[in-house]
Amino acid sequence: MTEEITQQPGPAEAGPTVAGLLAHAHELLSAPPEPSAGLARLLALSRQVRAATEQPVTFRPALFWQDDEPVIWPRTVNLIQGQTGVHKSRVAELFGSAALTALASRATSDTLLGLGFRPAEGEAYRLLYIDTERNTSDQLPYAIQQLKARAGYGFAEHPPMLDYTSLVMEARAERFPRLAEFLAHQRRGFDGHLLVILDVLSDCVADYNDVGASLGLIDLLNVAVNEQDATFIAVIHENPGSTSKARGHLGTEASNKASTVLQVGFVKEGGRLTPLIQLLYLKRRYAAPGLTFFATFDEFTRGLVRADVDATDVQQVCSRPGPQRKASAATVLSLLPTMLADGPLPAGELVAGLAEELSVSPRTVKTYLSELLPPYSGYVNDLTGRRCCLVRRKAGAGFSLLYSLEPSS
């Protein structure tokens, strides 16, 4: 009789041991994991910034000046804001006309061009005008005609560096993706700078008070700024009433992120509107706020022309909310490096010092200081030469506040 032999499972069939599992885990931890696509982008950007830090950093010059003052910088998001009917779109068109004038090397008078806008020399642009509210039968064509005419072009001429479209026929939910597609289409085959006039910004989202939609649109603009070498000049309405606040949550986020915020509005005298139009730079990231120009609407050219007035002549009737001004925002800003040279100051101490220096009430000083805080930040060099902004924070557990100048990001 054959003896039946029962084989016992060998070591290979016994299953994983604790020691084997530990060894395998150690092997996984020791091996460098494959980075995800997102991590790979971050690592590549880290290497790019590291290489840039090894060389002297040269900042690009301003993209636009008004007279001899820099007002728009390349690769930035910028706002033109104001109440309804104050000619915001015409101001935006003047930036476009100035860009076309320089590109075509065509001479044009300031009477046609308007307010002394001058673009940077030697830039290769593609100007994109994207409208969201005019009808496409006569209003938008007329606006484009005017933009070209101020740059010296006839109706039948089509500058190759100019393109335009409208989102007015797109459902609001579709405007965001259509805008992204249009920008990507324009970038293909063109290596120069995209200058995008977006009129109006709030019409590119379904709800300008929706946090997610607002942040998504701002993110889209910031990605285009960095990836597509683009600069945006966006028009946005202000909340109704006496306010300097751009409309909705979108307006708040856009103002925070914008490099330049230009407010357009009619000057008031005795509570009534005058024909005088004020262009007030509430924010310039690389220069002091408070720069002001004045204009009127010219019936002959159907555009804005410079008003022959001085800022000091109309300061007391300016439409800007708050008390009558005795000092510009730029003046207040210029005093801060000395007053804050030794570090943060309690709010009461800084307010008292500025009130004495400017011969105004403490309440007025508080209004002036609030103008220099985000979203209308001003920038100034401290006594060591660092570019700084004014910061206000709580001093501790109580209600006392401290003001300081801190390096801007």
Side-chain angles (χ1 to χ4, degrees), residues 58-190:
T58 302
F59 290 95
R60 294 177 68 175
L63 197 61
F64 282 96
W65 284 259
Q66 191 167 5
D67 286 349
D68 293 324
E69 287 282 349
V71 294
I72 302 287
W73 283 264
R75 292 190 173 184
T76 58
V77 176
N78 309 275
L79 292 185
I80 300 174
Q81 69 174 63
Q83 298 287 327
T84 300
V86 297
H87 303 291
K88 300 183 298 296
S89 294
R90 284 190 168 91
V91 174
E93 291 166 19
L94 287 176
F95 280 106
S97 296
L100 285 186
T101 301
L103 287 171
S105 301
R106 297 192 177 195
T108 185
S109 66
D110 189 56
T111 302
L112 282 177
L113 199 52
L115 303 175
F117 291 117
R118 175 172 59 87
E121 297 179 358
E123 286 277 359
Y125 302 97
R126 175 169 288 171
L127 172 63
L128 307 178
Y129 197 102
I130 304 172
D131 184 78
T132 66
E133 61 181 9
R134 295 179 176 95
N135 70 51
T136 56
S137 58
D138 49 40
Q139 293 173 345
L140 181 57
Y142 180 76
I144 299 301
Q145 283 181 346
Q146 293 294 95
L147 188 155
K148 292 194 299 181
R150 293 189 185 96
Y153 287 90
F155 290 173
E157 293 183 277
H158 300 285
M161 68 291 290
L162 169 66
D163 204 349
Y164 36 86
T165 192
S166 172
L167 299 176
V168 73
M169 299 299 291
E170 298 290 329
R172 282 187 177 267
E174 297 297 320
R175 290 180 180 182
F176 185 102
R178 292 297 84 75
L179 175 61
E181 286 182 303
F182 185 72
L183 293 176
H185 171 76
Q186 293 292 337
R187 169 49 64 202
R188 287 192 289 271
F190 177 69

Side-chain angles (χ1 to χ4, degrees), residues 131-134 166-181 198-210 212-214 216-217 220 235-237 247 250:
D131 184 78
T132 66
E133 61 181 9
R134 295 179 176 95
S166 172
L167 299 176
V168 73
M169 299 299 291
E170 298 290 329
R172 282 187 177 267
E174 297 297 320
R175 290 180 180 182
F176 185 102
R178 292 297 84 75
L179 175 61
E181 286 182 303
L198 188 53
D199 187 3
V200 271
L201 183 66
S202 54
D203 283 345
C204 294
V205 292
D207 181 0
Y208 50 70
N209 280 315
D210 183 84
S214 299
L217 178 57
L220 168 65
V235 176
I236 190 168
H237 298 297
R247 184 167 291 177
L250 176 62

Side-chain angles (χ1 to χ4, degrees), residues 251-276:
T252 299
E253 291 300 325
S255 296
N256 288 336
K257 297 296 190 295
S259 291
T260 294
V261 178
L262 172 58
Q263 184 187 46
V264 182
F266 288 109
V267 172
K268 289 183 180 179
E269 183 173 7
R272 301 181 65 179
L273 297 178
T274 72
L276 192 63

Side-chain angles (χ1 to χ4, degrees), residues 331-333 335-336 339 348-362 365-366 368-369 372 390:
T331 298
V332 178
L333 194 63
L335 297 173
L336 296 181
M339 301 191 76
E349 189 174 337
L350 179 61
V351 168
L354 285 171
E356 181 179 358
E357 182 74 26
L358 299 171
S359 299
V360 297
S361 70
V365 169
K366 292 178 182 178
Y368 291 168
L369 289 175
L372 300 177
L390 183 65

